[in-house]
Amino acid sequence: YMKIFSTKHIFISALIYLFSCTAAFANNSVSITEPADGAKISGPVKVCLTTTGVMVEPAKKGVHEGKGHHHILVDVDLPGNLSNPIGKDANHVHMGDGSKCKTLNLAAGKHTLRALFAKGNHVPYDPAITTKVSIEVLANVTITSPPKGAMVTGPVKVCLETSGVEVQPAKMGVNQGKGHHHLLVDVDLPRDLSQPIGKDANHIHMGDGSTCKEIKLPSGKHTVRALFAKGNHVPYDPALTTEVTFNVK
C-alpha cells in the first residue's frame, strides 16, 4: 500500500511541477509599448519594449535562464529554426546592450515590427517570446533652420531634415524613396509635379545631396519652401514639402 501511495504521490508531484513550469513559461511575454499597432508615424521610429516573466540584461552577461535581450525584426518572419542565433542585418536589429528602446530609420510605407527575446548568445527562447505591430511611416521634409518668424542676417543658412526618404546626390539617378532637396524662394509650388523643377534664382537645386544651403536674400520678408525630388529633379507626388517665413535685416 505504501509503495502504491508513494508512486501516486511522486506522479502527482511531477504533474504539479510540470504544470507550474509550463504555466510559468506561458506567462513569459514581451510587449511593444511604442509605437502602437496601426500607428502612422513621421520621423525616425522609436520602438520601446517591456517584458513579463523574463529579465532584460546585456548579452555580455552570458546565457542565463529567464534572462536575455531584445531583437527587432523588421518586415521579416520569425526564424524557422529557433535553435540558431538570430542574424544581424538591416532587418534583424540586435539590442544586445540591454536597452529597452531603439530608434529606427525606416523608409516611408507600411512596416511590420516583431520583437523577439533571446538569450545572451542571441538564440531565441523556444517557444518564441515574441509579439508584433504594424505601422505606417509617413515621408516628410522639415526646415530646421531658420525658425519661423525669425529675424536673420544674410546670407541665410537653410537646413533641412527628412524622414521616410533618404537624401542622395542627383547623380545617383532615380531611386524610389530617395532624392535631394530644392529651395523655392518666394514662389509657389509647381502646378505640374510631373515635370522637373526649374533652375534659377528662385529655384535652388541641392543636387549634391547636401542638407544645408546658404542663400543671399535682400532685406525684407521671405518665404522659403523645401521641395524634395528624385534624381531627375521631378518632385514626388504628393509633394514632400514644407515652408518657413522669416525676415532678413
Side-chain angles (χ1 to χ4, degrees), residues 55-71:
M55 183 184 299
V56 177
E57 68 175 11
K60 65 182 180 180
K61 294 283 191 179
V63 177
H64 302 101
E65 192 62 33
K67 299 180 181 180
H69 60 279
H70 295 295
H71 298 75

Side-chain angles (χ1 to χ4, degrees), residues 23 60 76 81 90 105 108 117 141 151 161 175 180 190 210 222 248-249:
K60 65 182 180 180
V76 292
N81 188 348
N105 291 312
F117 198 75
V141 59
M151 178 67 75
E161 286 184 354
N175 301 294
H180 60 279
S210 58
H222 297 278
V248 177
K249 291 180 182 180

Side-chain angles (χ1 to χ4, degrees), residues 207-226:
D208 59 353
S210 58
T211 56
C212 289
K213 184 78 173 180
E214 283 195 350
I215 55 178
K216 294 180 179 180
L217 297 172
S219 298
K221 189 175 182 179
H222 297 278
T223 297
V224 172
R225 304 175 193 274

